[in-house]
Amino acid sequence: MKKETKNPAIDRVDGRMKVTGGAKYFADFDLPDLAYCVIVGSEIARGILTGIDTKKAVSAPGVVGVFTHLNMPPIPGWDMPVSGQSDGGKPKPATEETYRILSSPKILFDGQPVAMVVADTFERATYAASLIKATYNKQSARTSLEKNIEKQVTPKGGDYKRGEAEAYESSVVKLEADYKIPIEVHNPMELHGITAHWTGKQQLMIYAKTQGVNATQQAMAQAFQVDPENIRVHTEFMGGGFGMGLRTWPQETAVVAIAKKVGRPVKLVMNRSQMFTMVGHRPYTVQTIQIGADQDGKLVAINHAATAETASYEDFTEATVNMTRFMYACPNVSTRYRLVRLDRSVPIWMRGPGEATGAFALESAMDEMAHKLKLDPIAFRLLNYTQTDPEHDRPYSSKHLKEAYERGAEAIGWKNRKSEPGMLREGNSFVGYGMSTGVFNAFRWEASARVILSSDGSLVIQSAVTDIGPGTGTALTMIAHNVLGVPFNRIKVQYGDTSLPKAPTQGGSAIVSAVGSAVFDACSKVKNELFALALKDGGALAGRQPTELTLSDGVVAVEKEPGKKVAVDVLMKSSQLTKIEKDADSKGSPDLEKYSMYSFSVHFVKVKVNPLTGAVRVIKAVSVADSGRIISPKTAASQMIGGVAGGIGMALTEEAVIDHRFGRFVNNNLADYHVAVHADVPAIETIFIDKPDPVINPMGAKGMGEIALIGFAGAVANAVFNATGQRIRELPITPDKVMRKMV
Amino acid sequence: MNPFQFTRVTTPQAAVSTISKTAGTYFLAGGTNLIDLIKREVIIPEQLVDITKLPLAAIEKTSSGIRIGAMAKNSAVADHELIKKHFPLLSMALNAGASAQLRNMATVGGNMMQRTRCSYFYDNSMPCNKRGPVQSGPDKGQPNGPGGCGAIGGSNRMHAIFGASAKCIAVHPSDMCIALAALDATVNITGPKGDRSISFTEFHRLPGDIPQKDNTLAPAELITSVDLPTNAFAEHSYYLKVRDRASYAFALVSVGVGLEMKGKIIQQARLAMGGVAHKPWRLSEAEQFLKGKEASEFNFKQAATLAMASAKGYGENDFKLTLAPNSIVEALQIATENA
């Protein structure tokens, strides 16, 4: 099959394994003499640790070691320039990170580790940890973004501007609105942690919850000044990452140091409340959008400003305002991005990352503007549609967003929408429709892969990439199948281990494009070798040209001559080959620079709102993806469904709440932090445009993990407005924000 | 771990005689809340008496109504034919609570005994008057974390608008208890001094100056069953639960309604609210007002206004002053339409 052809929907290749317990997650690996680590976190968010009494813990049963800032083993490489994180091992300059775990009595954030206790069982470590008494000199914690907004700083990257700054002020129709996103926490089902095992003085085996085994390998090599070749990291499966595994967290490095010190393997599995303070979160962000248009609805200006929280000890930035620069045809655009450094732990990308935050604001504002202009929201977007990227002044590699609008509108029943809010009722409830656009960079990162074709016709695919759940194994299987024609059930994917060919960190919707291309190239090499064997002098198909040949179901054949063929096993055996093994490194071409490569999505929702109680329910959702050729339709649809479930959480329920008097979370558990449950998530229709991108990679596939979420919250807010006339600009849209005073 | 004594008993008499009357002793039933509290060290027990083997799970007809054993599982009660037919409000309330898994574990008696979900109560580093002193172990008698009420002036979106005190503004978290309060249930109790029965609305208490105490049980007393008197509310019952997500969330506000109707006229009304007070909050004035009145939006609004007379917000929960009366009206409307 070629990229011109749609791919069949096959089952997730590792699905059976996952639901029968066959898939092993990091914490499932048991080792002889394994010890267990439990973290004691700070109970204050800012101040000085004046004392830490570990005596009772040290003498508690089964305790192997108790580590605090007073006796923490050194981490030699930490203050040297740090190697790469997210791109699979390419060295990078030192990060901004200055926080060093258990190195000083200074408390920088709530939950900051003040002690790590190691014992022979998890229960004993937990008990010993409970015996530790810390005393603090507490300082007032600066955790509120609003209260500290005057201390904002401009991060690297700077502001963006095209056209005239005054264009907004002189526009005929103007809209200015503020939007707010609370702290959201990834909260995957699987808890975070690591198992570290020094198998020799300079030999390290790690089972971790990381989205990139190569990145963890590099980080640990850096931290412990060990040759990366001597560090093996294994993360085959992950019970949800959503971005929290995109970096190596300080407590992971600490466990490796402690394992070395105690001379036995050590495992850390964090608890749920620690997941709120030690593995990042979507940053609290306030935004202001100004949109100016002429009276016909043509955009004149957009100004987009965002201010996000970060830690006092590190600047975390994301692409919150970037979408505004290129999404619509608009001559005058400015974006501004600021950070406020707070006494909180550092944020990290969370699915959709900053683009999802920004899209909520931009796509809500577009809806508000459409209403002001008395235009249909889709018509307004089409009026300002652009087929070239106005930010970089170059064409999109592919863009079928118009078709996405059409097909989504048809599926949700957009024609039933009333342009005036509050006009549709079902029983006592108001009904409304909303839509929103999402967009995310389509990348082509470097990656490597190996494929091994055996003479029995089976194929093994190898890559270090971790599967965080999107169906990576299934997609790679499809790509190999399309090149080599090997039946799906004869293909095995081995991944998630640094002993395999290097791959980037799973994130940024980039893996099918990156690793998939490497698999494609490696398979193509195998195919070329098979063809060469068939075509060589004395070969079964000698005298033909490679372009005349096809390969499928274990047979090389001449395309236009039925019967002229040779079986692959025959071909290999005749050349005394038991296997053909090929490696490929893939990185795209400089030609890609001529294009802007993005994936697009459109989300449509229908909501029902009870005006008395303010309860909002999404009763139908349609998500359309324009992300090139879909490699694995079934797992891609699952990914879209997951994005909608996450989007409903973002729109309606998720918010990590801080009591600023203490600088601490008050809902750091899964009962009080509300991720969407099944009852919140209606039937979801997923639609794929499924047209190959002609540029990005040989499969024509662009990423789609992020666009499944980006924009969704805006669609819900827009639907709530359409249902009730109430514009909610602060997420989540909980009942108290929507209800009206009736009594 | 912190050591504690664990005993399994098989008769109510043995339960009562085994448990010590001192603080730090608990009956263990479904454990869906108690075990959580022990893990968080909000409770450090000295003694647990496992009552899961007590023969108290029957649901049966009596001469005056239905008796539900204290050990009946929440899911068994919710799905029971007699309950669905005669007391649908109880069935609805139970199914609005927790998750299917929790309802399969939780018992009727345990549900009545569950502690508040106030965040400050659950975090020993935060101020709370409700936790009381440490009940066991080397720190016995010491305060279990700082005193004061963290929720006053703090994150109190989920907190009480009725009957709170300067010591505590926490709310009782149960849905089931709202229905039982509305349905005039009686609680049957056994203890060292013998058996006694009290009205369900007398079982839980307001925080006052002793917020550590959720109810009026004396030490070593055990709930054995709950009696529901026959009523004529089955046709017009509704449990409305307003919450932050569609399932598995505690009530912002909930309303249990039972109406006895003759044509459009309300003969009798029963109303109780959850998520608003330290105990299930019965709306007696509103019930009195509705008696003999026509079921109309106008009258419902009047009733809701009466019900809110003593309500007080604490900042983040001020929205409940609007949401609560709105919800009363909504629940009454739906109960009227139900038939």
Side-chain angles (χ1 to χ4, degrees), chain A residues 36 38 40 53-66 115-133, chain B residues 1-2 41:
Chain A
Y36 298 80
V38 167
V40 180
D53 182 354
T54 59
K55 274 194 221 87
K56 281 183 189 164
V58 169
S59 56
V63 169
V64 174
V66 176
M116 293 174 81
V117 180
V118 182
D120 58 356
T121 69
F122 173 69
E123 289 76 12
R124 284 172 145 181
T126 303
Y127 176 64
S130 77
L131 300 175
I132 289 177
K133 298 268 185 278
Chain B
M1 59 179 280
N2 296 296
E41 297 195 333

Side-chain angles (χ1 to χ4, degrees), chain A residues 509-523:
Chain A
S509 305
I511 290 304
V512 164
S513 179
V515 181
S517 295
V519 169
F520 183 96
D521 290 352
C523 289

Side-chain angles (χ1 to χ4, degrees), chain A residues 488-507:
Chain A
F488 298 117
N489 62 4
R490 303 301 312 278
I491 301 175
K492 185 170 169 46
V493 188
Q494 295 172 342
Y495 51 6
D497 196 295
T498 51
S499 65
L500 303 170
K502 228 176 217 182
T505 296
Q506 171 94 263

Side-chain angles (χ1 to χ4, degrees), chain A residues 43 127 130 133 428 610-613 617 652-653 657 659 661-662 664-666 668-675 677 679-680 734-736 739-743, chain B residues 1-2 41 117 119-120 123 125-127 139 150 152-155 157 240 242-249 252 301 304-305 319 322-323 325-327 329-330:
Chain A
E43 293 183 348
Y127 176 64
S130 77
K133 298 268 185 278
N428 290 336
N610 183 312
L612 281 168
T613 66
R617 297 281 173 258
L652 298 181
T653 61
V657 179
D659 183 331
R661 298 172 304 169
F662 306 100
R664 307 198 68 195
F665 286 111
V666 292
N668 51 2
N669 60 73
L670 289 182
D672 297 320
Y673 179 93
H674 298 130
V675 298
V677 296
D680 295 296
T734 45
D736 47 315
M739 62 166 192
R740 293 173 179 176
K741 193 168 169 57
M742 298 298 245
V743 179
Chain B
M1 59 179 280
N2 296 296
E41 297 195 333
R117 300 299 305 202
S119 305
Y120 299 92
D123 184 342
S125 75
M126 295 280 204
D139 295 332
I152 296 176
S155 179
R157 186 168 175 271
L240 174 71
V242 185
R243 45 185 154 176
D244 283 330
R245 64 180 164 192
S247 177
Y248 193 50
L252 296 166
K301 285 184 176 175
T305 304
F319 72 94
T322 302
L323 181 60
N326 280 1
S327 300
V329 172
E330 174 79 352

Side-chain angles (χ1 to χ4, degrees), chain A residues 44-46 109-111 138 141-143 343-344 658-665, chain B residues 126:
Chain A
I44 66 165
R46 180 174 170 235
F109 59 92
D110 166 33
K138 189 177 164 184
R142 300 152 302 192
T143 53
D343 298 318
R344 306 230 292 244
I658 287 179
D659 183 331
H660 294 297
R661 298 172 304 169
F662 306 100
R664 307 198 68 195
F665 286 111
Chain B
M126 295 280 204

Side-chain angles (χ1 to χ4, degrees), chain A residues 94 96 154-158 315 317 337 339:
Chain A
E96 307 287 328
T154 306
K156 282 179 194 161
D315 284 354
T317 62
Y337 181 68
L339 293 177

Side-chain angles (χ1 to χ4, degrees), chain A residues 185-388:
Chain A
V185 181
H186 309 74
N187 269 324
M189 201 180 295
E190 184 192 22
L191 296 164
H192 196 260
I194 186 169
T195 300
H197 184 198
W198 288 89
T199 53
K201 202 164 176 231
Q202 294 286 311
Q203 297 277 337
L204 180 59
M205 177 73 213
I206 288 174
Y207 304 90
K209 186 173 179 183
T210 174
Q211 289 176 230
V213 290
N214 291 122
T216 297
Q217 180 191 41
Q218 285 296 326
M220 294 305 179
Q222 170 75 29
F224 295 95
Q225 300 291 294
V226 172
D227 183 349
E229 293 297 307
N230 290 341
I231 300 177
R232 184 171 162 204
V233 182
H234 182 89
T235 313
E236 192 174 3
F237 298 110
M238 189 178 279
F242 309 115
M244 50 151 283
L246 285 173
R247 70 185 278 175
T248 302
W249 295 100
Q251 62 273 14
E252 298 178 68
T253 315
V255 168
V256 176
I258 287 170
K260 191 168 195 180
K261 180 79 183 171
V262 301
R264 60 197 274 190
V266 175
K267 174 156 86 172
L268 167 73
V269 179
M270 290 163 42
N271 67 30
R272 183 58 64 181
S273 65
Q274 291 169 342
M275 298 283 285
F276 281 68
T277 56
M278 274 183 246
V279 287
H281 55 268
R282 189 191 299 285
Y284 187 104
T285 305
V286 295
Q287 299 176 75
T288 301
I289 298 241
Q290 294 177 322
I291 300 185
D294 68 19
Q295 52 213 5
D296 301 325
K298 277 273 187 197
L299 288 172
V300 174
I302 312 179
N303 300 322
H304 186 173
T307 307
E309 51 138 338
T310 192
S312 64
Y313 55 86
E314 183 180 344
D315 284 354
F316 169 78
T317 62
E318 54 182 358
T320 308
V321 295
N322 296 25
M323 170 182 179
T324 298
R325 302 173 186 166
F326 61 82
M327 193 62 218
Y328 297 106
C330 181
N332 308 291
V333 172
S334 77
T335 67
R336 181 179 180 277
Y337 181 68
R338 297 290 180 271
L339 293 177
V340 178
R341 294 172 184 150
L342 299 174
D343 298 318
R344 306 230 292 244
S345 58
V346 71
I348 194 156
W349 300 283
M350 178 167 161
R351 193 176 188 181
E355 286 81 346
T357 302
F360 165 64
L362 178 64
E363 290 294 287
S364 290
M366 286 295 285
D367 196 75
E368 295 198 45
M369 193 61 171
H371 184 72
K372 211 166 186 176
L373 290 161
K374 299 196 186 316
L375 285 171
D376 176 273
I378 300 176
F380 179 45
R381 285 169 174 82
L382 291 176
L383 195 59
N384 295 288
Y385 195 83
T386 176
Q387 201 60 49
T388 54

Side-chain angles (χ1 to χ4, degrees), chain A residues 690-713:
Chain A
D690 205 356
K691 289 182 178 164
D693 186 288
V695 172
I696 187 165
N697 55 42
M699 299 82 66
K702 297 191 279 191
M704 55 163 300
E706 318 292 350
I707 55 163
L709 183 88
I710 297 168
F712 193 86

